[in-house]
Amino acid sequence: MFKERSALIVWVSDLKQAKNLERYGNIHYISKKMQYVVMYMNAAGLEDTTKAMQKLSFVKKIEPSMRGEIKTEYNSNVPDKTSFYSY
């Protein structure tokens, strides 16, 4: 039902032309200060799409997002100290 998605960070030299990246995937965020675009696309055609985007004149560098590899479940081995301070 849901397709596998992956995120890319695309560093651009011109923000006006960065809107043209919408045909390759969904643009999630555009940073005006640092001039990069965060976009999501289907993981099935990721390599072909990145090669096509790399050929664009305003694209400097394309990096895969590491958000999927970051651990988001945390556990605490430290005991709860609030019971020591109760009256």
Side-chain angles (χ1 to χ4, degrees):
M1 182 172 163
F2 292 109
K3 295 184 179 181
E4 184 72 26
R5 308 279 287 168
S6 59
L8 292 177
I9 292 92
V10 182
W11 297 89
V12 295
S13 60
D14 188 14
L15 288 176
K16 287 184 180 180
Q17 292 182 344
K19 300 273 186 184
N20 293 335
L21 294 174
E22 285 184 339
R23 62 181 146 167
Y24 297 105
N26 296 335
I27 294 179
H28 180 69
Y29 179 74
I30 296 177
S31 171
K32 293 180 181 177
K33 184 178 180 182
M34 296 182 65
Q35 294 190 344
Y36 69 88
V37 177
V38 178
M39 60 185 305
Y40 289 93
M41 62 182 58
N42 292 336
L46 185 66
E47 292 181 19
D48 298 332
T49 309
T50 53
K51 287 179 185 177
M53 285 193 312
Q54 193 66 43
K55 292 179 184 177
L56 298 173
S57 62
F58 60 91
V59 174
K60 290 181 181 177
K61 184 168 74 168
I62 300 174
E63 297 177 352
S65 175
M66 300 297 169
R67 185 171 189 215
E69 299 174 11
I70 295 175
K71 181 180 169 185
T72 56
E73 296 178 7
Y74 305 105
N75 58 1
S76 177
N77 294 335
V78 180
D80 187 20
K81 292 184 179 181
T82 57
S83 62
F84 296 122
Y85 300 111
S86 63
Y87 293 97

